[in-house]
Amino acid sequence: MIKSLLFHIGDPKTGTTSIQAAMQARACDCPTVSLAVQREANASALANSLKQPKGTAEKRRKHFSDKAQWATEETADLGLISAEFFSGVSPEALRGALQDFLPEHTEQTRILAYARAHSDRFVSVYAQSVKAGGFQGDMDAFLPVALNKARWNYAPRFAAWREVFGERFTLRPFVRSELFKNDVVQDFFNQALQGEAFSLRPMPKVNEALTVPELAAMRQIQDVLTDRGIARYFRLSLGGALGRAMPQHAKRLGGKPVLTKLHAEALFARYAKDAAETDRLFFEAPILMRAQEEAVAQAAQVEQSFEAEAYYSARRIAKMRKVAGQIADAFEAVPGAWRADYQYLRGQRFVALKDGPDARQRMKNAKHVWALIHKLSKLMLN
């Protein structure tokens, strides 16, 4: 049996994908602590089993029973479980599931979370929302959305985790200068191993942010899929696949999104109190507040354009939309085939298309979609 567990709960946009990639690659070597890593790339299904309305008693029983079996079969000193969806779960619900399914671990389980400065989070969440097809407007239009994000109030939310788990809950600032070796993956393993010496094999960058022109293109692509009624989870996967495809190209267009003075000042006014309180409760230094102040000081005067017409010809945009329509056709022709292949390649599904029903048809469909995604990624270049 695993001796103890660590749940890494996010927050979103704090390097979670990079941490999980290093976990799956078994990139960490520690001579004094043996590690067991969750089988799946991320434990989203486990986390969602505790959330309403997705979570049900049946899902909770299935996923936590599977995790309990894993914890029983492994013999490591420390088991690592990671999903940013846990950040939206009630800490009482997680503790209850531990008591029901992993009672031996209830009093030893540690919880690790990261908090990103509110201004930085605004930029990152906007880009992710556009990429995933969850938001179609520009950054100005996203500002009112961000100002009403209850989950961006860190102090009360993370205080609730500490109230339930006590000193076994750790919150770290997702601020490069505050991280172990200025890197979140290094910091994660340093925290997980509680300071024990370790080495970390270099890993390629994952989930790299899209540039402004690429986000403008994504707005066009996701607009087509939305108009066609393609389900959001398909659009999320497509955005993820395109996001991973772009860094493979050498000649990418444009720079990354940046804050304007308008954005930075509005975010400061809304979240400065929470930043100060989070600093007081968890960091004993003005880390998030200082990041907020720096964001205001360094903000740009003029907003970048997120209109595709600013970077691409009308003909190029028309081609993007046409290919996006062809992807929608493929999704409708053989529903779920490409997404199942994407999840298998990402480590979220463990049965390959070739081993499932209607293998030939589904493999052909998935291959066609992958070719269209590659075509789209090339159209998004200059």
Side-chain angles (χ1 to χ4, degrees), residues 4 24 35 55 117 126 199 207 215 225 232 288 291 300 304 309-310 312-313 328 349 369 372 375:
S4 65
Q24 291 299 307
L35 297 175
Y126 169 73
S199 60
N207 205 24
L215 288 171
L225 298 180
R232 184 168 180 175
L288 295 185
Q304 299 152 303
E309 292 80 4
Y312 304 100
S313 67
R349 187 182 293 263
V369 174
L372 292 172
K375 188 173 183 178

Side-chain angles (χ1 to χ4, degrees), residues 143-165:
L143 183 61
V145 178
L147 296 178
N148 286 286
K149 291 280 189 181
R151 287 188 59 209
W152 289 20
N153 294 313
Y154 298 149
R157 180 158 59 88
F158 290 125
W161 281 94
R162 188 162 66 181
E163 183 175 345
V164 172
F165 288 94

Side-chain angles (χ1 to χ4, degrees), residues 7 28 62 64 110 119 150 193 200 218 225 261 307 327 344 360 373:
F7 277 74
C28 178
K62 177 188 182 304
F64 274 89
R110 291 183 289 133
S119 298
L193 297 168
L200 193 62
M218 285 297 303
L225 298 180
K261 287 286 185 184
E307 299 298 326
I327 290 176
Y344 176 76
R360 181 173 294 181
I373 288 172

Side-chain angles (χ1 to χ4, degrees), residues 186-214:
Q186 292 276 358
D187 193 88
F188 168 79
F189 284 105
N190 185 55
Q191 291 293 319
L193 297 168
Q194 297 180 294
E196 292 290 320
F198 68 93
S199 60
L200 193 62
R201 189 170 69 252
M203 294 286 297
K205 288 185 178 181
V206 294
N207 205 24
E208 188 175 331
L210 294 179
T211 67
V212 173
E214 290 164 359

